[in-house]
Amino acid sequence: MERVVYLDNNATTMVAPEVVDAMLPYLSGKYGNPSSIHSFGGDVGADIAQAREKIARFVGADHDYEIVITGSGTESDNLAILGSIAYYKDKRHIITSRVEHPAVISLCKKLERDGYRITYVPVDAKGNLDLAYLKESVDDDTAIVSIMYANNETGVIFPVEEIGEFLKEKGIPFHVDAVQAAGKIPIDVNKINCRLLTISGHKFHAPKGIGALYVRRGTRLRPVLYGGHQEKGRRPGTENVAGIIGMAKAAELAMEHLANIDEMKRLRDKLEEGLLSAFKNASLNGDKEKRVPNTSNIGFEFIEGEAILLYLDAKGIAASSGSACSSGSLEPSHVLRAMGVPFTSAHGSIRFSLSRYTTEEEIDYTLKTMPEIVNRLLTISPYWDNEKQEGKPINL
Amino acid sequence: MWDYTDKVKELYTNPKNVGKIDDADVVAEVGSIVCGDALKLYLKIDDNDIITDAKFETFGCGSAIASSSALTEMIVGKNVKEVEKITNQDIVKYLGGLPEEKMHCSVMGHEALEKALKQLKGEKVEDHVDEEGEIICHCFGVTDDLIRRVIRENNLKTVEDITNYTKAGGACGSCIPKLEDILEEEAAKPASDKKKEETKKPLTNIRRMQLVEETITNVIRPILQEDRGDIELVDIDGKNVYVALRGSCSNCMVSNVTLKNLVEAKLREYVENDIVVHEIK
């Protein structure tokens, strides 16, 4: 297959070669069960303990036993919320935001059907969370607050430290879905003052099928799965040993790389500024400043996102879109709608997300390729005046 | 990633007949930027009612562009009378199939054509309304008439089918109870035809089997063979007919549509109107 310019790293990332190397022994010779008494398994148990320490350091946890290994970000989110409300049975109110990942939103919708009262905190036009609204929504009945660290579609960072401080005083459990922040900005659970925090391995160059939930010491959490003693009974099941080792290695590499994160930001900004200046019908979705350094979400007016993606794909460029058609649903993304992005550009929104493997050459190639694609689709569009080279007035 | 046919990929990569006709005889616009897809169709028609040129402008995804291109290719050089018979299924067939969720793209193509032909005849067509009738889905502006017609033409059975074909019910979902009512009403409709049938003597098992076999051999197989497909009669159990699709039909994405729209429809027409066809894979 031809080389792909992969600009869809918020969807998933390449497994780092060092991570593959670290995992391989556990997929062949070192297959012991970490729970076994014999040293063949016990050695593996020791390796897992080391890996757990690395993952704890990655999120700034004080103790390695505060890390519960899970199978995905979705599982961690579910364990955090379901595990907390199972403990605080008399409290029937949950606060989250309108722009959470489906792993949280779908669960909250289900709990709403079960009789829970859910507050979905709104965002402004730039995708920033309405902090005052969140604070006002908290009451004696609030069982848990679950807010994402950074939004997957726009990259906008939420004020989790302020929320954490506020909730700590109130004594209300705070869960942070940090899936899109891990590896892009430093994470420190003590600065955030959260009791629970979710990460997912495949978003920072570990393989798919491995995630973790940070559970602050003393936090009340009931398991969702029942079985053996693994993860201190909070998430039983024989360990995904290679996955844990891989995620720990990936966490170590990500922390090293955070020192060079400005380079990723420089390339992202080059792409973004290049596209915004090349097309007068393009605009940025999301707050320009308060963002993770790898994400750029751009709305192209008068053309449709899936068509852009298909044309990009033909040129070997992988990106993603918040358009209705690309997702299989019929409405544009819930995030863009919550921000009030007009339909004229929401349907044509494209998310570019970089990784530390993205090169300047790839960004230049994308900048060179986009005009051809956008102009082609504008020519086809009934909302574009080809003679005047401007959009036609649209009566909605 | 959508499972688009090569034809769909070819047509969204290199669509034919893109643009407008400055001196068009008729221009029809359907859909809107709010809905996420829109199509503007331009037709040039000569004195003998032959469509001499067709061009389009489309806002939409790959399959919307491909459906628009397909439509224009299908109608150029044809007589208006002939073109009137084109349905969204013909567009789907031309494209070698569309994913279920993208069926509405073919419906949009058909709507534009229908609107253009109406305008040509001088019938008044209101703007921003796809068809006459009550608007059922307010999110996408889909009318009662359009939903009923698409149900009948595509033999739709569920609300999900309606959403895939027309988008109705795909956003807020508040019209879903109404869609269910429409489905029930449409399912009950052939009742008037049924009465006529009931007065006829019921078929014996042997006679029914003979008729099913004859219809498959003489009517259905020739149609499928045109498309390099074939069909095999596996079993008949009462009014349940079990068949296997062969040749190009066996891996065709719309084999389910073929089964319902062609095989079952023909058997109901020629044998009995409550025959149910099942596919054996």
Side-chain angles (χ1 to χ4, degrees):
Chain A
M1 194 179 157
E2 275 178 59
R3 199 167 140 249
V4 174
V5 174
Y6 188 75
L7 297 175
D8 199 11
N9 287 282
N10 285 11
T12 194
T13 60
M14 176 183 105
V15 181
E18 300 93 323
V19 170
V20 176
D21 288 344
M23 290 170 69
L24 281 176
Y26 302 90
L27 296 169
S28 50
K30 292 186 162 188
Y31 60 81
N33 188 328
S35 302
S36 300
I37 296 296
H38 49 72
S39 55
F40 186 64
D43 288 352
V44 174
D47 295 345
I48 286 189
Q50 261 191 5
R52 196 183 299 276
E53 276 173 33
K54 288 180 188 167
I55 296 164
R57 267 205 297 281
F58 183 51
V59 297
D62 297 328
H63 311 281
D64 59 354
Y65 55 76
E66 292 176 318
I67 298 300
V68 176
I69 303 294
T70 67
S72 63
T74 298
E75 191 193 332
S76 295
D77 286 334
N78 274 258
L79 175 58
I81 295 172
L82 290 171
S84 297
I85 61 172
Y87 201 91
Y88 300 100
K89 277 209 168 72
D90 49 331
K91 295 188 190 285
R92 306 288 287 176
H93 177 222
I94 297 168
I95 298 176
T96 186
S97 85
R98 283 182 62 188
V99 298
E100 294 300 305
H101 187 271
V104 171
I105 292 244
S106 302
L107 175 60
C108 287
K109 297 267 181 219
K110 187 248 177 225
L111 293 169
E112 204 168 4
R113 290 194 293 275
D114 292 349
Y116 276 85
R117 186 162 53 89
I118 315 280
T119 299
Y120 298 96
V121 179
V123 294
D124 67 12
K126 284 184 170 181
N128 288 308
L129 193 77
D130 190 337
L131 187 61
Y133 190 103
L134 184 148
K135 288 182 177 175
E136 282 164 23
S137 305
V138 171
D139 57 35
D140 293 341
D141 200 30
T142 307
I144 186 168
V145 177
S146 181
I147 297 288
M148 60 188 358
Y149 202 148
N151 184 268
N152 48 318
E153 291 188 29
T154 60
V156 171
I157 297 171
F158 287 165
V160 288
E161 290 178 21
E162 285 166 82
I163 301 170
E165 199 185 334
F166 174 76
L167 293 173
K168 192 187 177 188
E169 284 169 22
K170 301 257 176 198
I172 293 169
F174 181 30
H175 168 242
V176 175
D177 176 354
V179 166
Q180 291 293 348
K184 297 164 190 164
I185 50 175
I187 295 176
D188 186 338
V189 289
N190 289 323
K191 272 193 188 161
I192 304 171
N193 271 311
C194 58
R195 285 205 208 160
L196 302 145
L197 182 135
T198 288
I199 58 171
S200 172
H202 76 106
K203 306 287 191 191
F204 56 94
H205 305 289
K208 293 149 192 70
I210 190 82
L213 178 66
Y214 160 80
V215 184
R216 184 176 293 279
R217 188 181 158 190
T219 298
R220 306 284 187 261
L221 191 80
R222 289 224 194 279
V224 171
L225 300 178
Y226 288 83
H229 61 94
Q230 294 90 350
E231 305 301 312
K232 303 201 180 303
R234 291 178 295 192
R235 201 278 193 176
T238 300
E239 293 85 345
N240 171 3
V241 176
I244 297 170
I245 302 290
M247 183 162 68
K249 184 70 194 171
E252 202 175 50
L253 294 169
M255 284 174 85
E256 284 170 24
H257 183 262
L258 280 172
N260 314 320
I261 204 81
D262 285 350
E263 175 60 11
M264 195 196 278
K265 184 175 181 300
R266 185 182 71 80
L267 290 179
R268 189 272 313 266
D269 291 345
K270 181 177 183 182
L271 175 66
E272 184 171 285
E273 282 155 21
L275 291 174
L276 291 175
S277 62
F279 306 109
K280 59 181 176 184
N281 67 322
S283 56
L284 179 66
N285 291 321
D287 192 296
K288 191 168 165 49
E289 303 306 322
K290 278 181 259 171
R291 263 190 308 170
V292 287
N294 83 315
T295 308
S296 181
N297 189 316
I298 298 180
F300 294 90
E301 272 192 299
F302 317 118
I303 56 179
E304 200 276 334
E306 189 206 286
I308 302 174
L309 292 186
L310 292 171
Y311 279 41
L312 278 172
D313 187 51
K315 297 284 181 188
I317 300 171
S320 87
S321 168
S323 92
C325 280
S326 59
S327 63
S329 76
L330 291 171
E331 288 209 331
S333 100
H334 69 289
V335 176
L336 299 181
R337 272 184 296 134
M339 289 161 63
V341 174
F343 277 100
T344 49
S345 71
H347 283 295
S349 69
I350 299 292
R351 178 187 72 187
F352 298 98
S353 48
L354 287 65
S355 80
R356 63 174 181 260
Y357 296 101
T358 306
T359 64
E360 183 128 27
E361 186 202 339
E362 291 174 330
I363 296 299
D364 291 341
Y365 172 70
T366 308
L367 281 169
K368 203 179 92 202
T369 309
M370 274 300 275
E372 193 187 318
I373 291 171
V374 173
N375 291 331
R376 182 85 195 281
L377 288 167
L378 283 174
T379 311
I380 300 178
S381 172
Y383 301 116
W384 184 252
D385 190 323
N386 284 301
E387 277 110 60
K388 290 186 192 154
Q389 285 293 300
E390 62 182 33
K392 292 178 188 168
I394 296 167
N395 301 318
L396 295 179
Chain B
M1 192 76 187
W2 299 111
D3 192 7
Y4 285 136
T5 63
D6 289 343
K7 187 74 183 169
V8 173
K9 287 181 193 162
E10 180 198 317
L11 287 186
Y12 70 64
T13 314
N14 290 305
K16 312 281 185 332
N17 306 317
V18 170
K20 54 183 178 183
I21 304 175
D22 286 329
D23 58 343
D25 294 304
V26 61
V27 181
E29 198 171 356
V30 293
S32 91
I33 203 161
V34 177
C35 303
D37 43 26
L39 164 60
K40 201 166 180 179
L41 180 67
Y42 301 81
L43 300 181
K44 188 88 188 127
I45 295 154
D46 73 6
D47 297 337
N48 300 319
D49 283 352
I50 303 290
I51 298 174
T52 55
D53 197 7
K55 289 216 176 338
F56 76 91
E57 293 172 313
T58 288
F59 169 85
C61 57
S63 51
I65 295 172
S67 295
S68 310
S69 179
L71 171 71
T72 54
E73 289 169 73
M74 286 163 74
I75 60 177
V76 170
K78 297 234 172 83
N79 189 290
V80 170
K81 282 267 172 282
E82 217 177 320
V83 162
E84 273 177 350
K85 292 179 199 144
I86 291 175
T87 67
N88 73 296
Q89 282 301 333
D90 295 323
I91 298 174
V92 174
K93 202 172 152 194
Y94 188 91
L95 293 170
L98 274 178
E100 279 293 307
E101 296 87 342
K102 297 284 188 178
M103 283 295 179
H104 60 84
C105 294
S106 68
V107 173
M108 180 170 77
H110 179 239
E111 272 173 44
L113 177 65
E114 205 179 30
K115 190 169 174 182
L117 296 179
K118 268 189 184 175
Q119 284 174 0
L120 197 68
K121 283 189 205 159
E123 287 175 28
K124 230 179 126 187
V125 184
E126 280 175 51
D127 262 352
H128 299 294
V129 177
D130 298 321
E131 295 217 353
E132 287 122 43
E134 181 199 355
I135 291 186
I136 301 293
C137 170
H138 289 272
C139 298
F140 293 112
V142 189
T143 63
D144 173 65
D145 285 8
L146 176 73
I147 294 167
R148 286 178 193 277
R149 182 165 58 70
V150 174
I151 291 175
R152 286 195 295 270
E153 286 181 2
N154 300 283
N155 198 19
L156 305 184
K157 300 282 183 219
T158 66
V159 170
E160 286 73 33
D161 287 344
I162 298 179
T163 307
N164 286 336
Y165 278 74
T166 69
K167 291 186 164 194
C172 74
S174 65
C175 65
I176 288 173
K178 277 191 190 166
L179 295 179
E180 282 170 346
D181 291 348
I182 293 177
L183 272 174
E184 267 180 37
E185 282 171 34
E186 286 300 317
K189 260 191 185 163
S192 55
D193 304 332
K194 259 184 216 157
K195 269 178 204 152
K196 267 185 254 159
E197 295 285 328
E198 276 163 15
T199 55
K200 276 203 262 171
K201 240 168 89 185
L203 292 173
T204 62
N205 276 337
I206 299 259
R207 183 67 194 135
R208 184 184 303 119
M209 285 180 188
Q210 282 171 340
L211 281 174
V212 167
E213 248 191 305
E214 278 170 20
T215 308
I216 288 180
T217 313
N218 300 330
V219 182
I220 299 169
R221 283 190 74 190
I223 298 174
L224 291 177
Q225 281 165 348
E226 261 179 50
D227 291 329
R228 279 174 288 131
D230 206 347
I231 190 168
E232 197 180 295
L233 177 60
V234 180
D235 200 3
I236 305 170
D237 178 11
K239 291 183 178 182
N240 291 301
V241 176
Y242 297 86
V243 300
L245 292 173
R246 298 282 182 241
S248 65
C249 295
S250 59
N251 45 23
C252 173
M253 283 168 52
V254 288
S255 64
N256 197 26
V257 179
T258 308
L259 205 69
K260 290 286 165 197
N261 277 17
L262 176 73
V263 183
E264 194 171 270
K266 289 290 174 200
L267 288 174
R268 285 179 177 194
E269 188 183 335
Y270 287 87
V271 188
E272 267 173 318
N273 66 4
D274 49 355
I275 294 272
V276 181
V277 176
H278 305 272
E279 188 186 3
I280 308 278
K281 293 265 181 189

